Amino acid sequence: NMAGRGKVEPQDLEPNPRVLSLDKNGQWQLAVDPLHFDKPRVAGVGLGRSFAIAYANAHPGVTVGLIACAAGGSPIESWEPGAFHDQTHSNPYDDALIRTRLAQSSGTLKAILWHQGESDSSPTRSPLYESKLHGLIARMREDFRSPAVPFIVGQLGQFDERPWSEGRIRVDAVLRSLPSKVAHTGFVSSAGLKHGGDEVHFDAESLREFGRRYFSVYQEIEMK
């Protein structure tokens, strides 16, 4: 869900002929950053493109399509059918369902990449996070007609300048424990990754590395 706010550099604008993204209008285009359009003024490098490039490199001849669906700053309650997110003026779940079904007419859904939880790290929301996350996974798999699609979650940033609150620790525990509680899921560590100056969003190089880590976890799920 976090779209990525990394500073776009020339390497992020070099298209790979086997890596596409679904644009805002539902058309396939060569994937360059920013992929997401939830907050156009701040959208930047995310983790999706490096994941897709790693996937393409490991699967010669395959074309990878990325379905950008982020709604930056949204709590998980915004990812319920009919829910509205005021920061992005969107219906995150409904929009993701429409876009994913559209993409599925051209290919097979191979994974769902989820990076979210910042907005749920409060004393009131964090105790509800596990039930909402598990419910989201089940609902997406049913609505996307992909009952065993890998669902991969990423850890929130670990920055010395911003010690974790009890709520963030609780959300982290939910994310870490996911693979032991829900089949075909994975957890990606954010250890060693750096922020871009705001103590919240990763910098561009960290996001590229994060995407590669997501792919490594994806491979582990596929081998089980």
Side-chain angles (χ1 to χ4, degrees):
N1 172 47
M2 288 188 183
R5 305 289 183 246
K7 182 180 179 181
V8 177
E9 299 176 356
Q11 64 180 298
D12 307 305
L13 301 175
E14 296 177 2
N16 182 310
R18 293 197 292 118
V19 177
L20 309 178
S21 64
L22 197 67
D23 69 14
K24 187 176 182 178
N25 299 314
Q27 301 296 315
W28 291 111
Q29 62 180 6
L30 291 172
V32 296
D33 283 313
L35 298 175
H36 294 274
F37 40 81
D38 56 325
K39 295 180 178 179
R41 293 183 180 181
V42 294
V45 173
L47 60 88
R49 209 173 85 98
S50 58
F51 173 91
I53 291 172
Y55 189 103
N57 288 340
H59 298 82
V62 170
T63 297
V64 184
L66 293 163
I67 313 166
C69 296
S74 57
I76 199 167
E77 65 191 32
S78 294
W79 289 83
E80 296 175 359
F84 178 77
H85 182 230
D86 56 359
Q87 287 187 31
T88 55
H89 304 287
S90 67
N91 301 89
Y93 188 81
D94 297 347
D95 294 345
L97 179 58
I98 292 170
R99 290 175 57 75
T100 301
R101 285 185 173 173
L102 174 62
Q104 285 176 299
S105 67
S106 303
T108 302
L109 183 64
K110 302 298 291 186
I112 299 172
L113 312 182
W114 183 258
H115 186 222
Q116 186 270 345
E118 185 80 28
S119 299
D120 288 284
S121 297
S122 68
T124 55
R125 283 177 168 157
S126 57
L128 306 174
Y129 193 69
E130 182 168 69
S131 63
K132 288 185 177 294
L133 178 62
H134 291 192
L136 172 74
I137 296 169
R139 184 168 60 248
M140 280 188 165
R141 285 174 168 171
E142 180 179 359
D143 287 347
F144 297 166
R145 305 185 185 98
S146 304
V149 65
F151 191 102
I152 305 171
V153 301
Q155 190 173 32
L156 298 178
Q158 306 175 66
F159 309 127
D160 293 339
E161 304 93 325
R162 191 183 182 194
W164 280 6
S165 64
E166 289 186 9
R168 286 174 71 87
I169 293 172
R170 188 177 291 117
V171 167
D172 184 66
V174 170
L175 297 173
R176 284 179 177 273
S177 67
L178 183 64
S180 67
K181 297 182 178 182
V182 180
H184 309 296
T185 63
F187 169 80
V188 185
S189 170
S190 66
L193 301 185
K194 301 177 181 179
H195 64 79
D198 62 1
E199 302 175 8
V200 176
H201 298 96
F202 298 122
D203 65 17
E205 184 50 44
S206 293
L207 284 161
R208 296 184 199 106
E209 169 60 20
F210 211 24
R212 292 188 286 268
R213 292 183 186 182
Y214 266 75
F215 179 67
S216 294
V217 171
Y218 171 82
Q219 288 181 305
E220 293 172 3
I221 296 172
E222 288 292 277
M223 289 188 294
K224 291 181 179 178

